[in-house]
Every structure is written in C-alpha cells, then in structure tokens.
Amino acid sequence: MSRLEDFIEATKHVAEPSATLRSQVEARPELNRLLVITAFDFVQITRVAPGRDAYLQAMDRGLERFEPLMVTADDRYEVAEFYIDLMDIVGIDSSDERLNDFVARRLTGLKALK
C-alpha cells in the first residue's frame, strides 16, 4: 500500500511550468486531477478486494474519464505509461490490450504496451 500512497503523493503535485517535468500530463491540472483519482481508485481496491478483475474494471472507468481530454498521441501514451506504473505497483502484468486500445483509438503504429 505504501508504494501506492507514495505514487499518489508524487502525482498530486501540479508542476510549475518552469519546473523539470516527468511528463507533460502532470503539468496540466485537469489531467493531474484525474491521475490522482485513478491512483485513489487503485488504493481503494487494494484495501477492499485486491483482485485483477477489480483493477481492470477500474482501469476501464479511468480511461473513459481521460478520453475527452486526450488531444495528442503523447497525451494518450503518457496516460498509458501512468497506468503501467500503477499496474507494476499492484502486480498486474497485462491490461488485456486495454492500454493498446486506448493509445490506438486515434493513432496507429505505436509500440505495444502491457
């Protein structure tokens, strides 16, 4: 649980434009807010019923929240990378193509994700 909480803490700080950024996604407040909500979803699952299906369902709901804000390929890819980090923390090795589908909705030719 501590790794998830540390992850949330690191994610919820909105970066200043002049700061060195981990990603452009983290510099945008609305996307940042959704990233924190997503991480909290994973914390809740970990506390109540940590099962693979529960995490994947949370991923489905979370990716839907991001959809209206996705403008560029980089936006989609960075959100997918965020989910990969969360999956690593909770021990999930595959999104069952969810992340590939999310990234590819308006894009083609990007490398495969988990």
Side-chain angles (χ1 to χ4, degrees), residues 25 28-35 62-76 79 102 106:
V25 170
R28 290 173 255 159
E30 183 61 16
L31 289 176
N32 183 274
R33 186 181 73 77
L34 293 177
L35 293 173
L63 291 172
E64 278 185 36
R65 287 183 207 130
F66 285 103
E67 190 63 46
L69 303 175
M70 298 294 94
V71 177
T72 69
D74 287 341
D75 291 342
R76 289 178 176 282
V79 168
F102 175 75
R106 294 187 191 146

Side-chain angles (χ1 to χ4, degrees), residues 51-103:
R52 185 175 187 281
D53 289 340
Y55 290 117
L56 293 177
Q57 289 172 2
M59 185 181 296
D60 290 339
R61 287 188 306 273
L63 291 172
E64 278 185 36
R65 287 183 207 130
F66 285 103
E67 190 63 46
L69 303 175
M70 298 294 94
V71 177
T72 69
D74 287 341
D75 291 342
R76 289 178 176 282
Y77 194 77
E78 289 182 53
V79 168
E81 290 281 325
F82 173 83
Y83 273 98
I84 290 170
D85 290 345
L86 280 176
M87 289 168 45
D88 288 344
I89 290 170
V90 299
I92 297 174
D93 61 357
S94 171
S95 71
D96 293 343
E97 297 299 315
R98 284 167 172 79
L99 296 179
N100 282 330
D101 291 346
F102 175 75
V103 170

